[in-house]
Amino acid sequence: MATALNRIDQLFADRDRKRFIPFLTVGDPSIEATFHLVKAMVEAGADLIELGVPYSDPLADGPTIQRASERALKNGVTIRDALQLVKRLRESGMEASIVLFTYFNPVLQYGIERFFADLAAYGADGVVIPDLPIEENGPAVTSAKQHGIHVISLVAPTSSSRINTIGAQATGFLYCVSSLGVTGARADLREDLADFLERVKASTSVPTAVGFGISTPDQVRAVAPHTDGIIVGSAIVQQIEKHAEQLKDPKQMPEAVEKIKTFVHQLASALQ
Amino acid sequence: MDNIQTTTRIVPDENGRFGAFGGKFIPETLMNAVTELEIAFEEARRDPAFVQELNGLLSEYAGRPTPLTYAERLTNAVGGAQIYLKREDLNHTGAHKLNNALGQALLAKRMGKKSIIAETGAGQHGVASATVAAKLGLSCKVFMGEEDIRRQSLNVFRMKLLGAEVIPAVSGSRTLKDATNEAIRHWVSHVDETFYVIGSVVGPHPYPYMVREFQKIIGEETRSQVLQMLRRLPDEVVACVGGGSNAIGMFYPFIQDESVALRGVEAAGKGIDTEKHAATLTLGRPGVIHGSLTYLLQDEGGQVQEAHSISAGLDYPGVGPEHAYLKDSGRVTYTSVTDAEALEAVQVLCQTEGIIPALESAHAIAEAIKRAKEMSSDKILVICLSGRGDKDVLTIQEALTAEGGE
């Protein structure tokens, strides 16, 4: 049962500081690599880690994260492995917030109640389920509340009148989808992004974080004034993909981790 | 599109649920689009002008009503129930798919959308979508698995000839499931201007319901044709089930007729005791695919498994949520037929009736032959002959040659 204050709430207690949220897929290219990458990202300035659970049919994801998912699935990675990784990160002393990103079917098969109980027991703080809109999230939210876990809602530029409903129900933080489409790095962000983000902010008491398509320090700087946090996924996963062979080799892993750490640091420091 | 359904419609409820199944498990980006679609469909369906335009196209363009054919030589060869064929193979473009494609494309136009997208397995829905896009002046992109593009090259050319762009889906098993993922991804990116014409009774609400409403004309015609010809209802109705749109279209108007047994036939591929099958209702467990909670072929961790069938149109690891509901309620019996049995049925129908059935429909024929044998000659059995087999001739030739060589 929930006892301590959720780490996400603690993290955003000081709204003057913007938060950086990297995404990576568990088990891409190996669970060992993911462990070291997460630790390095926290050292590089990440405040909250979004851990992707690989899925066979990731329909909200673009090619980069699809490929990461395929690589992780080839390693046989499951939701259980993701939970074990969270446990190991906590045992290693990591205090940054952790949110799992998973499609709904693996959660359903694991058992909704058992999933949220285990998230809490293993030390996770929240979950993002991209194919579970508010109309369908009742049972998940009930279990999550019991265990002190946040189900992070998403809001999109097309949400229009739904923004207020979603904003009113949001807990933890509100995940703002910056552009139409799937995840993936984009050269340009929407012109009306600032307007959208300001509307979302006005709709909710929880902090906001922006993701989908943000890949460069310049984009981070441009979006920062309109949000409490920034999520970068595909751009980081591309770096992991580029260094996959080294990350799999214990001797070369530290050097590759260091390169990705530098990349994350550039993004994270653009936020302050 | 008449008032039968207002008295018999039990499902889905306002949340798009068929009992426990169905719903809208989709990214937030699409939620407004499906809500708009739901409203637009409800308005259109009640608008006499829309119904009249659709009915006009169905009769003057598609060639409806399709006939009900007494399969006399097949009946004699089997030696049991009297077998009738509902001839969806004679619908324009050669399958039942056009009924739904016309309905949705007309709705797209009414909603002011200029482009439609579609997914396709065997290519029949892709051809139907390309056809209606040409007829109604819309642009059309069809997503098709790379493996299916290879299996159905003739349909690929047909779609291109009709002016559509065919986009290969290269992820996963490169079949219908992956084509649907790609279509959804494209839709998320272009949701404001694009209408997604889903080809079966799958996907998020309102699709399973809307596609049923556009396909139920099959069962409505069949019911009145049987009544007119024989002055009684049939004893059994058999249809193949992949996503399950021809089956729902056929079954739905008979749901309240308790004396009519309904039988859906899935693809058993190389056998349900192997890993190569598409028998979702027979062997799957409830799970979420393409926005809907339904029976699903999946592993223990909830990863979607690849389906297998000689027929590209049945090669799908999910199934329409209304079928999941009808299975659990016991109203419809679901069985499965192997690739080999379907191939055998193709030859039987060719040689007794002079009709080359689609491989999908051949599954229904194979099951119907088994059933008819066990029924007395005063019983009436109707098969939904959902499509013609011209598209499959090469596949059939390859399979029979391989068989003969063994």
Side-chain angles (χ1 to χ4, degrees):
Chain A
M1 295 299 283
T3 46
L5 190 62
N6 186 294
R7 289 182 194 84
I8 298 170
D9 301 324
Q10 292 173 348
L11 176 66
F12 286 104
D14 171 14
R15 294 266 194 115
D16 289 336
R17 202 181 136 80
K18 311 283 180 187
R19 303 299 173 177
F20 184 71
I21 307 170
F23 167 97
L24 71 172
T25 300
V26 176
D28 169 34
S30 72
I31 291 183
E32 193 60 22
T34 308
F35 175 80
H36 292 287
L37 285 167
V38 169
K39 302 279 285 182
M41 286 178 192
V42 173
E43 286 168 20
D47 301 289
L48 190 158
I49 302 285
E50 200 185 350
L51 287 177
V53 177
Y55 188 51
S56 56
D57 293 74
L59 52 77
D61 284 304
T64 303
I65 296 177
Q66 283 176 43
R67 287 196 301 271
S69 229
E70 277 178 32
R71 287 192 294 270
L73 284 176
K74 276 194 190 129
N75 294 335
V77 173
T78 65
I79 213 165
R80 223 174 293 244
D81 296 312
L83 288 164
Q84 287 293 344
L85 175 66
V86 173
K87 191 176 172 199
R88 190 177 158 201
L89 286 163
R90 290 299 177 220
E91 284 168 359
S92 77
M94 192 186 108
E95 270 307 313
S97 305
I98 301 177
V99 165
L100 290 197
F101 176 100
T102 175
Y103 287 85
F104 185 51
N105 197 47
V107 175
L108 193 63
Q109 304 308 320
Y110 192 85
I112 292 174
E113 169 58 27
R114 184 174 151 228
F115 176 65
F116 286 100
D118 284 357
L119 280 178
Y122 287 47
D125 307 293
V127 60
V128 178
I129 308 178
D131 55 349
L132 196 68
I134 51 169
E135 282 78 354
E136 304 287 356
N137 75 3
V141 167
T142 305
S143 285
K145 271 187 185 149
Q146 268 176 16
H147 296 285
I149 297 291
H150 289 307
V151 174
I152 307 302
S153 292
L154 292 105
V155 63
T158 49
S159 297
S160 58
S161 64
R162 297 168 54 82
I163 290 179
N164 289 334
T165 319
I166 298 169
Q169 295 176 18
T171 70
F173 65 91
L174 191 46
Y175 191 134
C176 307
V177 175
S178 67
S179 46
L180 297 188
V182 292
T183 58
R186 287 170 175 76
D188 300 304
L189 296 170
R190 285 168 80 92
E191 281 174 15
D192 57 357
L193 181 59
D195 288 350
F196 163 63
L197 295 176
E198 293 301 331
R199 266 201 301 150
V200 175
K201 254 191 190 175
S203 78
T204 188
S205 59
V206 301
T208 60
V210 187
F212 280 46
I214 299 173
S215 58
T216 66
D218 282 347
Q219 288 174 333
V220 170
R221 273 187 284 272
V223 177
H226 308 287
T227 181
D228 303 301
I230 288 193
I231 304 159
V232 177
S234 296
I236 291 170
V237 173
Q238 270 170 13
Q239 293 297 314
I240 295 173
E241 181 171 49
K242 205 170 117 188
H243 296 100
E245 287 312 311
Q246 292 149 277
L247 286 167
K248 280 193 276 190
D249 177 355
K251 281 186 198 145
Q252 296 183 64
M253 192 202 290
E255 195 193 325
V257 169
E258 204 54 40
K259 280 184 189 154
I260 293 160
K261 184 177 169 181
T262 306
F263 183 80
V264 170
H265 182 71
Q266 283 166 356
L267 290 163
S269 50
L271 201 47
Q272 304 307 334
Chain B
M1 305 296 286
D2 61 21
N3 58 13
I4 285 186
Q5 63 87 32
T6 53
T7 55
T8 61
R9 179 179 156 201
I10 313 157
V11 288
D13 65 16
E14 70 274 18
N15 300 316
R17 293 289 185 137
F18 300 86
F21 301 103
K24 300 176 187 175
F25 296 87
I26 48 171
E28 173 59 28
T29 306
L30 295 175
M31 285 302 287
N32 241 344
V34 297
T35 307
E36 278 170 15
L37 176 61
E38 203 179 326
I39 294 165
F41 174 63
E42 285 303 324
E43 282 172 5
R45 169 174 106 67
R46 291 186 169 85
D47 177 357
F50 179 84
V51 174
Q52 195 185 351
E53 190 175 2
L54 178 56
N55 287 343
L57 284 165
L58 287 170
S59 64
E60 286 146 32
Y61 183 65
R64 301 202 74 90
T66 58
L68 184 72
T69 303
Y70 174 46
E72 187 177 7
R73 292 195 66 238
L74 176 63
T75 299
N76 292 340
V78 173
Q82 306 296 309
I83 301 172
Y84 288 79
L85 305 170
K86 177 58 175 170
R87 302 291 306 280
E88 290 302 298
D89 61 316
L90 294 178
N91 207 19
H92 178 42
T93 73
H96 71 290
K97 293 290 184 189
L98 191 74
N99 307 335
N100 167 55
L102 271 175
Q104 286 196 47
L106 210 53
L107 186 58
K109 214 175 163 183
R110 182 186 164 97
M111 291 173 74
K113 310 273 181 180
K114 301 269 187 290
S115 4
I116 61 170
I117 57 167
E119 83 295 336
T120 199
Q124 292 304 95
H125 175 58
V127 167
S129 298
T131 299
V132 299
K135 177 69 179 164
L136 300 177
L138 302 164
S139 82
C140 179
K141 286 187 169 68
V142 179
F143 294 84
M144 188 168 186
E146 209 174 39
E147 171 64 15
D148 290 336
I149 287 179
R150 188 191 62 77
R151 287 196 282 193
Q152 304 285 345
S153 57
L154 200 58
N155 266 346
V156 174
F157 179 68
R158 211 170 265 154
M159 287 182 262
K160 289 179 179 167
L161 196 58
L162 289 160
E165 186 186 344
V166 179
I167 302 171
V170 296
S171 57
S173 58
R174 298 158 198 238
T175 59
L176 179 56
K177 152 181 106 78
D178 312 284
T180 308
N181 287 340
E182 286 306 324
I184 292 174
R185 289 180 184 124
H186 181 91
W187 189 31
V188 175
S189 311
H190 304 85
V191 61
D192 289 335
E193 66 276 10
T194 303
F195 187 107
Y196 180 17
V197 178
I198 295 186
S200 192
V201 284
V202 301
H205 180 66
Y207 281 100
Y209 158 59
M210 177 171 71
V211 175
R212 177 190 82 195
E213 292 301 304
F214 287 136
Q215 289 294 3
K216 71 180 185 191
I217 192 167
I218 303 171
E220 287 170 357
E221 285 177 7
T222 303
R223 197 173 180 282
S224 62
Q225 285 165 327
V226 176
L227 282 173
Q228 199 178 10
M229 279 164 93
L230 307 166
R231 309 267 163 229
R232 52 165 292 200
L233 286 170
D235 298 286
E236 186 151 338
V237 176
V238 182
C240 66
V241 177
S245 69
N246 88 86
I248 284 288
M250 182 55 133
F251 295 162
Y252 188 68
F254 289 104
I255 292 283
Q256 304 294 316
D257 299 319
E258 284 172 20
S259 67
V260 181
L262 303 173
R263 188 168 282 259
V265 188
E266 297 190 299
K270 296 193 185 303
I272 54 173
D273 51 348
T274 72
E275 285 182 356
K276 301 236 170 214
H277 63 81
T280 307
L281 288 162
T282 310
L283 295 172
R285 297 195 318 278
V288 169
I289 183 168
H290 300 140
S292 193
L293 178 61
T294 185
Y295 278 81
L296 175 64
L297 296 178
Q298 56 183 322
D299 71 11
E300 195 201 344
Q303 306 293 341
V304 179
Q305 286 177 327
E306 290 175 12
H308 168 88
S309 170
I310 190 171
S311 121
L314 303 184
D315 202 347
Y316 184 63
V319 65
E322 191 164 5
H323 284 294
Y325 169 76
L326 291 169
K327 173 193 159 79
D328 280 11
S329 75
R331 178 63 187 93
V332 179
T333 305
Y334 293 91
T335 55
S336 62
V337 152
T338 63
D339 289 350
E341 290 172 316
L343 276 169
E344 173 67 26
V346 166
Q347 297 168 80
V348 171
L349 195 74
C350 285
Q351 287 156 25
T352 55
E353 296 294 332
I355 296 169
I356 305 174
L359 278 169
E360 291 78 16
S361 322
H363 287 69
I365 296 160
E367 178 68 18
I369 290 173
K370 290 189 214 170
R371 289 293 304 152
K373 269 184 193 150
E374 292 168 13
M375 295 161 74
S376 56
S377 60
D378 59 337
K379 301 289 187 193
I380 310 291
L381 186 152
V382 179
I383 303 171
C384 187
L385 187 58
S386 55
R388 67 179 180 220
D390 304 48
K391 69 182 174 63
D392 293 319
V393 167
L394 273 175
T395 309
I396 295 166
Q397 185 187 29
E398 275 174 30
L400 292 180
T401 310
E403 222 174 56
E406 270 170 15

mmCIF file of all heavy atoms in Angstrom, chain A residues 32 245-257:
data_model
loop_
_atom_site.group_PDB
_atom_site.id
_atom_site.type_symbol
_atom_site.label_atom_id
_atom_site.label_comp_id
_atom_site.label_asym_id
_atom_site.label_seq_id
_atom_site.Cartn_x
_atom_site.Cartn_y
_atom_site.Cartn_z
ATOM 1 N N GLU A 32 21.554 -5.485 -19.306
ATOM 2 C CA GLU A 32 22.751 -4.966 -18.645
ATOM 3 C C GLU A 32 23.065 -3.549 -19.147
ATOM 4 O O GLU A 32 23.339 -2.641 -18.366
ATOM 5 C CB GLU A 32 23.932 -5.920 -18.927
ATOM 6 C CG GLU A 32 25.167 -5.702 -18.086
ATOM 7 C CD GLU A 32 24.923 -5.850 -16.581
ATOM 8 O OE1 GLU A 32 23.932 -6.514 -16.189
ATOM 9 O OE2 GLU A 32 25.708 -5.270 -15.804
ATOM 10 N N GLU A 245 26.427 -2.410 -30.926
ATOM 11 C CA GLU A 245 27.451 -3.459 -30.878
ATOM 12 C C GLU A 245 28.397 -3.262 -29.696
ATOM 13 O O GLU A 245 28.728 -4.207 -28.983
ATOM 14 C CB GLU A 245 28.229 -3.511 -32.204
ATOM 15 C CG GLU A 245 27.429 -4.106 -33.367
ATOM 16 C CD GLU A 245 26.733 -5.432 -33.004
ATOM 17 O OE1 GLU A 245 27.413 -6.316 -32.447
ATOM 18 O OE2 GLU A 245 25.514 -5.566 -33.246
ATOM 19 N N GLN A 246 28.828 -2.004 -29.491
ATOM 20 C CA GLN A 246 29.727 -1.720 -28.364
ATOM 21 C C GLN A 246 29.029 -1.959 -27.027
ATOM 22 O O GLN A 246 29.633 -2.443 -26.080
ATOM 23 C CB GLN A 246 30.206 -0.261 -28.414
ATOM 24 C CG GLN A 246 31.130 0.034 -29.578
ATOM 25 C CD GLN A 246 30.971 1.466 -30.019
ATOM 26 O OE1 GLN A 246 30.057 1.777 -30.773
ATOM 27 N NE2 GLN A 246 31.841 2.341 -29.528
ATOM 28 N N LEU A 247 27.737 -1.580 -26.983
ATOM 29 C CA LEU A 247 26.998 -1.736 -25.720
ATOM 30 C C LEU A 247 26.854 -3.206 -25.323
ATOM 31 O O LEU A 247 26.700 -3.534 -24.157
ATOM 32 C CB LEU A 247 25.610 -1.085 -25.831
ATOM 33 C CG LEU A 247 25.586 0.445 -25.806
ATOM 34 C CD1 LEU A 247 24.218 0.972 -26.233
ATOM 35 C CD2 LEU A 247 25.945 0.985 -24.422
ATOM 36 N N LYS A 248 26.893 -4.071 -26.321
ATOM 37 C CA LYS A 248 26.742 -5.498 -26.032
ATOM 38 C C LYS A 248 28.066 -6.125 -25.564
ATOM 39 O O LYS A 248 28.073 -7.204 -25.004
ATOM 40 C CB LYS A 248 26.219 -6.237 -27.275
ATOM 41 C CG LYS A 248 24.704 -6.088 -27.442
ATOM 42 C CD LYS A 248 24.130 -7.043 -28.466
ATOM 43 C CE LYS A 248 24.265 -6.483 -29.861
ATOM 44 N NZ LYS A 248 23.516 -7.250 -30.869
ATOM 45 N N ASP A 249 29.172 -5.435 -25.835
ATOM 46 C CA ASP A 249 30.494 -5.952 -25.489
ATOM 47 C C ASP A 249 30.945 -5.333 -24.150
ATOM 48 O O ASP A 249 31.171 -4.125 -24.076
ATOM 49 C CB ASP A 249 31.472 -5.579 -26.617
ATOM 50 C CG ASP A 249 32.893 -6.013 -26.306
ATOM 51 O OD1 ASP A 249 33.137 -6.511 -25.186
ATOM 52 O OD2 ASP A 249 33.755 -5.845 -27.186
ATOM 53 N N PRO A 250 31.073 -6.148 -23.091
ATOM 54 C CA PRO A 250 31.406 -5.616 -21.765
ATOM 55 C C PRO A 250 32.626 -4.695 -21.775
ATOM 56 O O PRO A 250 32.670 -3.712 -21.041
ATOM 57 C CB PRO A 250 31.675 -6.869 -20.930
ATOM 58 C CG PRO A 250 30.992 -7.985 -21.642
ATOM 59 C CD PRO A 250 30.964 -7.619 -23.097
ATOM 60 N N LYS A 251 33.622 -5.005 -22.635
ATOM 61 C CA LYS A 251 34.836 -4.184 -22.666
ATOM 62 C C LYS A 251 34.582 -2.808 -23.258
ATOM 63 O O LYS A 251 35.146 -1.813 -22.843
ATOM 64 C CB LYS A 251 35.926 -4.895 -23.485
ATOM 65 C CG LYS A 251 36.613 -5.979 -22.676
ATOM 66 C CD LYS A 251 37.786 -6.565 -23.461
ATOM 67 C CE LYS A 251 38.201 -7.900 -22.876
ATOM 68 N NZ LYS A 251 38.653 -8.841 -23.882
ATOM 69 N N GLN A 252 33.737 -2.774 -24.281
ATOM 70 C CA GLN A 252 33.497 -1.492 -24.963
ATOM 71 C C GLN A 252 32.315 -0.715 -24.394
ATOM 72 O O GLN A 252 32.098 0.441 -24.739
ATOM 73 C CB GLN A 252 33.243 -1.752 -26.453
ATOM 74 C CG GLN A 252 34.436 -2.352 -27.178
ATOM 75 C CD GLN A 252 34.143 -2.519 -28.653
ATOM 76 O OE1 GLN A 252 33.932 -1.547 -29.355
ATOM 77 N NE2 GLN A 252 34.111 -3.764 -29.108
ATOM 78 N N MET A 253 31.537 -1.379 -23.522
ATOM 79 C CA MET A 253 30.324 -0.733 -23.029
ATOM 80 C C MET A 253 30.575 0.610 -22.331
ATOM 81 O O MET A 253 29.896 1.596 -22.641
ATOM 82 C CB MET A 253 29.547 -1.676 -22.104
ATOM 83 C CG MET A 253 28.159 -1.133 -21.817
ATOM 84 S SD MET A 253 27.399 -1.762 -20.327
ATOM 85 C CE MET A 253 27.062 -3.434 -20.726
ATOM 86 N N PRO A 254 31.549 0.702 -21.424
ATOM 87 C CA PRO A 254 31.723 1.980 -20.708
ATOM 88 C C PRO A 254 31.926 3.168 -21.648
ATOM 89 O O PRO A 254 31.370 4.245 -21.415
ATOM 90 C CB PRO A 254 32.975 1.727 -19.859
ATOM 91 C CG PRO A 254 33.009 0.246 -19.665
ATOM 92 C CD PRO A 254 32.478 -0.340 -20.946
ATOM 93 N N GLU A 255 32.690 2.949 -22.718
ATOM 94 C CA GLU A 255 32.945 4.044 -23.662
ATOM 95 C C GLU A 255 31.655 4.462 -24.368
ATOM 96 O O GLU A 255 31.370 5.652 -24.529
ATOM 97 C CB GLU A 255 33.997 3.573 -24.672
ATOM 98 C CG GLU A 255 34.611 4.690 -25.475
ATOM 99 C CD GLU A 255 35.407 4.149 -26.663
ATOM 100 O OE1 GLU A 255 36.032 3.077 -26.528
ATOM 101 O OE2 GLU A 255 35.383 4.810 -27.719
ATOM 102 N N ALA A 256 30.859 3.472 -24.786
ATOM 103 C CA ALA A 256 29.603 3.774 -25.472
ATOM 104 C C ALA A 256 28.623 4.467 -24.528
ATOM 105 O O ALA A 256 27.948 5.435 -24.906
ATOM 106 C CB ALA A 256 28.991 2.487 -26.025
ATOM 107 N N VAL A 257 28.572 3.989 -23.281
ATOM 108 C CA VAL A 257 27.687 4.610 -22.284
ATOM 109 C C VAL A 257 28.092 6.074 -22.092
ATOM 110 O O VAL A 257 27.240 6.968 -22.019
ATOM 111 C CB VAL A 257 27.738 3.827 -20.941
ATOM 112 C CG1 VAL A 257 27.050 4.618 -19.834
ATOM 113 C CG2 VAL A 257 27.085 2.451 -21.094
#
